[in-house]
């Protein structure tokens, strides 16, 4: 576990994944549920980063079998489903559990807002993206969150506010290929 975690923190994905796979092979019914859950959650993150979504989602499912309330796993799983625009109802349910557990988490509020946006529940999405921005304790709000806010405001017809959020996202270092296009339009 600690070897895999050390490799993960050093951004050595292949070595980390190998260590976690070896660790998973040692799991028994007596194993610590929190550690086993973390094994699978981190494996899911690595597999997603490698573009292996089917395997990542299987790892996340295993994680949640061991610890149904693994909040970080629930958030990542929900967000990655939303990126693929697949199984949005399940993503929403998982994300909702994260904001119930940590109602002031900027990241979790953003994920939930984004899923609501994809479900075309724009007014609700605005409520949660506003909370995400209001609860951000960093001096610089994430470019992704700002871009999400701009998208939500734009679809609600609040183009002046949308443009402000998109410009802030650009200043915050957004790497979105579409951001410049949104600003011009």
């Amino acid at each position: 576990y600690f070897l895999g975690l050390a490799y993960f923190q050093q951004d050595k994905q292949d070595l980390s994944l190998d260590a976690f796979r070896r660790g998973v092979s040692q799991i028994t019914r007596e194993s610590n549920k929190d550690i086993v859950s973390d094994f699978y959650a981190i494996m899911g993150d690595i597999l997603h980063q490698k573009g292996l979504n089917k395997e990542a989602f299987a790892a996340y499912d295993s994680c949640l079998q061991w610890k149904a309330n693994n909040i970080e796993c629930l958030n990542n799983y929900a967000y990655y489903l939303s990126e693929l625009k697949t199984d949005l109802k399940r993503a929403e349910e998982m994300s909702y559990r994260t904001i119930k557990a940590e109602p002031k988490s900027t990241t979790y509020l953003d994920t939930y807002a984004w899923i609501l946006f994809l479900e075309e529940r724009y007014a609700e999405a605005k409520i949660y993206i506003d909370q995400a921005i209001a609860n951000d304790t960093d001096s610089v709000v994430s470019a992704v969150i700002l871009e999400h806010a701009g998208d939500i405001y734009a679809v609600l017809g609040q183009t002046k506010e949308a443009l402000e959020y998109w410009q802030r996202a650009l200043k915050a270092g957004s790497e979105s290929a579409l951001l410049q296009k949104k600003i011009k339009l």
Side-chain angles (χ1 to χ4, degrees):
Y1 173 78
F2 292 111
L3 179 62
L5 195 57
Y7 283 136
F8 183 72
Q9 291 173 339
Q10 294 173 0
D11 205 26
K12 296 179 179 178
Q13 294 178 343
D14 292 332
L15 292 171
S16 179
L17 192 56
D18 179 61
F20 283 123
R21 283 184 172 145
R22 283 184 283 128
V24 164
S25 71
Q26 304 295 315
I27 293 172
T28 67
R29 284 182 286 190
E30 291 78 35
S31 296
N32 180 306
K33 291 181 187 311
D34 291 335
I35 291 177
V36 173
S37 177
D38 287 346
F39 265 111
Y40 285 113
I42 296 171
M43 285 176 62
D45 292 344
I46 294 168
L47 290 163
H48 173 75
Q49 289 171 8
K50 292 173 126 337
L52 302 169
N53 289 319
K54 183 178 178 184
E55 293 87 346
F57 296 158
Y60 290 143
D61 286 333
S62 294
C63 166
L64 297 172
Q65 289 294 318
W66 284 89
K67 184 178 175 184
N69 65 341
N70 185 317
I71 301 303
E72 285 186 31
C73 175
L74 287 167
N75 183 73
N76 290 352
Y77 197 176
Y79 191 74
Y80 298 148
L81 286 171
S82 77
E83 283 184 323
L84 298 173
K85 296 179 179 73
T86 187
D87 210 355
L88 290 177
K89 199 65 181 154
R90 182 171 186 215
E92 179 195 340
E93 291 167 3
M94 288 190 288
S95 182
Y96 184 73
R97 289 170 53 195
T98 69
I99 63 169
K100 280 302 192 191
E102 295 186 27
K104 294 196 182 289
S105 168
T106 299
T107 300
Y108 301 161
L109 288 163
D110 171 61
T111 297
Y112 191 63
W114 190 244
I115 293 167
L116 293 173
F117 172 82
L118 293 173
E119 292 179 318
E120 300 179 8
R121 294 166 55 190
Y122 306 124
E124 291 173 87
K126 182 182 177 297
I127 292 167
Y128 288 97
I129 201 67
D130 287 347
Q131 287 179 30
I133 292 168
N135 285 315
D136 196 338
T137 56
D138 292 336
S139 60
V140 178
V141 179
S142 157
V144 171
I145 293 172
L146 293 168
E147 187 171 355
H148 286 169
D151 293 352
I152 292 167
Y153 274 78
V155 81
L156 289 169
Q158 296 176 300
T159 52
K160 180 183 173 205
E161 294 86 349
L163 186 57
E164 289 172 6
Y165 279 120
W166 289 331
Q167 289 171 335
R168 285 177 60 193
L170 195 60
K171 286 180 186 170
S174 173
E175 297 178 10
S176 169
L178 294 176
L179 186 57
Q180 290 286 355
K181 195 178 253 186
K182 291 175 190 177
I183 292 170
K184 283 182 184 179
L185 292 173

